[in-house]
Amino acid sequence: MGQDCIFCKIAAGEIPSDVLYSDDVCFVIRDIAPAAPVHLLVIPNQHFTYLDGLTAERHGMVGAMFQAAAQMAAREGIVKSGYRLSVNQGDDSGQMVDHLHLHVLGGERLGAMA
Ligand code: 5GP
Ligand code: ZN
């Protein structure tokens, strides 16, 4: 567990949160400060921060996260209208939580990417 990591605490049930989906690898919650009508976070159970530490053993984790994102997009009804997946990495991206996560954004026409 990452020390004082909010997503590890949610994963461990120490901070209550509405979990929309979970499997052996990852879980999905709604972002507390949504940037779009649908704004989900796909979070691996295991604490992991930077993609430059992505080794072959973690390829399955990343694949499972994308699959969960696609399933949740279907459940939220935004597949046809479209959605965006984004991952912040490091200071310039504005990353606030140093536990890897996929943002799933949709439900309206999204602005241009920075
Ligand atoms: P980042 O900027 O690190 O890519 O995104 C972290 C996201 O986590 C932010 O969009 C922020 O609103 C969200 N977030 C931070 N703390 C919590 C929390 O306790 N619960 C939920 N559901 N989302 C959180
Ligand atoms: Zn963590």
Side-chain angles (χ1 to χ4, degrees):
M1 195 215 259
Q3 261 191 343
D4 292 327
C5 171
I6 191 125
F7 290 169
C8 281
K9 287 183 176 162
I10 291 173
E14 287 169 24
I15 295 176
S17 191
D18 277 345
V19 176
L20 307 177
Y21 169 93
S22 69
D23 61 27
D24 291 350
V25 176
C26 63
F27 62 98
V28 179
I29 57 176
R30 285 193 200 282
D31 197 292
I32 204 168
V38 176
H39 188 171
L40 308 178
L41 301 171
V42 182
I43 304 169
N45 298 329
Q46 212 180 54
H47 186 87
F48 175 68
T49 306
Y50 293 120
L51 290 169
D52 63 2
L54 190 63
T55 52
E57 304 96 77
R58 292 199 174 101
H59 287 182
M61 174 188 87
V62 175
M65 288 171 67
F66 274 81
Q67 191 168 12
Q71 278 180 32
M72 289 307 303
R75 236 194 259 181
E76 295 285 316
I78 55 170
V79 172
K80 198 161 175 230
S81 49
Y83 60 97
R84 177 178 297 155
L85 302 183
S86 70
V87 179
N88 289 324
Q89 291 277 280
D91 288 346
D92 278 356
S93 73
Q95 183 178 8
M96 290 186 293
V97 179
D98 74 350
H99 181 134
L100 183 72
H101 48 282
L102 273 182
H103 292 260
V104 182
L105 296 150
E108 68 180 8
R109 177 70 63 155
L110 301 169
M113 304 240 284

